[in-house]
Amino acid sequence: MAKPLLQIACDHNNLPSALADIRAVGDVVDILEVGTILLLQEGDKAVKCFRALYPNKLVVADAKCADAGGTVAKNLASAGANFMTCICCATIPTMKAAAKEVESVQVELYGDWTFEQAQAWLDAGIDHTIYHQSRDALLAGQTWGQKDLDRVQKLIDMGFKVSVTGGLSVDTLDLFEGIDVYCFIAGRGMTAAADPCAAANAFQAKIAELWS
């Protein structure tokens, strides 16, 4: 079982604050994410800046694309993104069009998606999902539970690389011990810490402990 990667999600409202956090943790994390909020605020300039700062890191553009997949993906890839996200309600043709332009399309799982849909993504060559506890759900009091772990495991058993995100802390990682998670995605768990670099190192140390 491979050691999961660590991704920072930058859902900042402006580029300067995002770049400050990227500089703080960029040498520690494995993947840099231009979050949806930042992408809407700053456009592909944010992707270009992340790529310029860390030319050898994986960069994700969290577009949550629902349409015009090929065009959106081509633009983001040109800016320097390796991966981009599509929302799970996007059509298969949208996802396939995007997949022709970037290294990987990641399907963001929100709402009432089904495993039948997931099989259709696999059949179309889309094999990366992001299991998500949304910010709004977390604010409403939802927490990670066995139902989430079972669904993550089923997706992995189907053949997906599964990234996990949503209110993650170092302690939350214990819940996933023994599960072949591809990547843990944390935002405020690092960016809101008094010392983001120390927080990133704590995540990496916990991952190494649980998946040694």
Side-chain angles (χ1 to χ4, degrees), residues 9 27 29 40-41 56 68 90 103 112 115-116 118 127 138 158 174 177 181 183 195 202 208:
D27 290 327
V29 301
L40 289 170
Q41 290 292 104
N56 298 317
E103 292 176 28
D112 296 324
F115 286 106
E116 288 75 18
D127 67 351
L138 291 165
M158 290 175 70
D174 286 316
E177 184 175 8
V181 173
C183 180
D195 185 339

Side-chain angles (χ1 to χ4, degrees), residues 61-191:
D62 188 13
K64 294 184 175 67
C65 183
D67 197 10
T71 300
V72 173
K74 185 175 182 179
N75 291 341
L76 292 172
S78 295
N82 302 99
F83 303 161
M84 68 167 276
T85 64
C86 284
I87 196 69
C88 58
C89 62
T91 65
I92 295 294
T94 292
M95 294 182 187
K96 290 177 72 172
K100 291 179 181 178
E101 305 294 341
V102 292
E103 292 176 28
S104 180
V105 168
Q106 303 171 308
V107 182
E108 285 260 16
L109 303 178
Y110 281 98
D112 296 324
W113 61 275
T114 67
F115 286 106
E116 288 75 18
Q117 286 175 292
Q119 186 59 56
W121 304 329
L122 274 179
D123 293 343
I126 310 296
D127 67 351
H128 194 157
T129 58
I130 301 175
Y131 191 92
H132 205 287
Q133 285 274 24
S134 76
R135 177 181 297 189
D136 293 334
L138 291 165
L139 289 173
Q142 294 185 26
T143 58
W144 290 95
Q146 190 60 48
K147 179 180 178 181
D148 300 301
L149 302 178
D150 290 344
R151 299 184 95 189
V152 168
Q153 185 62 63
K154 183 169 181 177
L155 288 165
I156 293 169
D157 291 342
M158 290 175 70
F160 284 102
K161 292 179 287 188
V162 180
S163 295
V164 171
T165 189
L168 295 180
S169 67
V170 171
D171 292 338
T172 311
L173 302 186
D174 286 316
L175 296 172
F176 296 91
E177 184 175 8
I179 299 176
D180 193 12
V181 173
Y182 171 76
C183 180
F184 288 106
I185 306 170
R188 293 180 302 282
M190 286 184 269
T191 62

Side-chain angles (χ1 to χ4, degrees), residues 6-9 21 25 29 186-197 199-200 203:
L6 178 63
Q7 176 173 322
I8 181 171
D21 282 327
V25 306
V29 301
R188 293 180 302 282
M190 286 184 269
T191 62
D195 185 339
C197 184
F203 270 100

Side-chain angles (χ1 to χ4, degrees), residues 2-21:
K3 182 169 76 72
L5 302 177
L6 178 63
Q7 176 173 322
I8 181 171
C10 288
D11 272 314
H12 298 62
N13 280 306
N14 61 80
L15 187 55
S17 61
L19 293 178
D21 282 327

